[in-house]
Amino acid sequence: MILALHQDGKCLLTSSRSWQYTLDGPIVFDGMRNGEHYDAARELPGWDLPGCDCRAWKNAVIVPPPPGTLELQQMPPCRICAVYPAALKVAPRPDEEIYELPLNMTGWARITVRGPKNSEVVLRYAERLNDA
């Protein structure tokens, strides 16, 4: 069991080798500034429910922590504060649509997708379309 404690004795993080993981899920890439690549064809129905067949999954590996002191960071939680509908700005090609929001912000896109199985949907966020 790994237990990380703050200076005041509060538990910040706990883990053990009983945790399990698989590399076969739908998230094939995730990067803070480079987005997430999600392959819906690799979804694992029921992975988060009791009775999941996780026999092929592996147990977590305990590794040494990075150097430094683990410190609690007080940050407000991410919450939905407003919902802004996007308006179609331009469709430069038959397979491409560009939508504009009323302001520059941080947030999540909620989309509904219809199309043939194994189609690719690419979402890119940008402050402007070109350098001008």
Side-chain angles (χ1 to χ4, degrees):
M1 167 83 69
I2 300 297
L3 181 65
L5 298 177
H6 190 264
Q7 298 168 29
D8 63 6
K10 290 181 183 174
C11 179
L12 295 178
L13 176 69
T14 183
S15 180
S16 75
R17 285 192 38 79
S18 68
W19 288 28
Q20 293 182 295
Y21 73 95
T22 182
L23 300 176
D24 296 330
I27 299 173
V28 295
F29 175 84
D30 185 39
M32 178 119 158
R33 299 215 185 324
N34 296 316
E36 177 180 281
H37 298 189
Y38 188 93
D39 184 349
R42 294 176 54 140
E43 286 185 350
L44 303 169
W47 72 268
D48 56 342
L49 300 173
C52 170
D53 182 5
C54 300
R55 289 177 289 185
W57 291 30
K58 297 178 180 156
N59 285 83
V61 176
I62 305 298
V63 297
T69 303
L70 184 62
E71 294 185 25
L72 180 65
Q73 293 184 4
Q74 297 292 333
M75 296 289 294
C78 295
R79 292 193 171 121
I80 296 174
C81 300
V83 176
Y84 298 100
L88 181 62
K89 182 173 184 177
V90 64
R93 295 191 303 253
D95 64 341
E96 183 175 277
E97 294 176 344
I98 297 173
Y99 291 85
E100 185 174 47
L101 293 167
L103 63 131
N104 188 0
M105 64 183 159
T106 299
W108 301 279
R110 179 173 49 197
I111 64 171
T112 301
V113 178
R114 289 183 199 87
K117 187 174 182 175
N118 296 324
S119 294
E120 181 180 37
V121 175
V122 178
L123 297 178
R124 289 196 182 101
Y125 299 89
E127 292 184 25
R128 55 176 78 144
L129 294 177
N130 51 42
D131 291 335

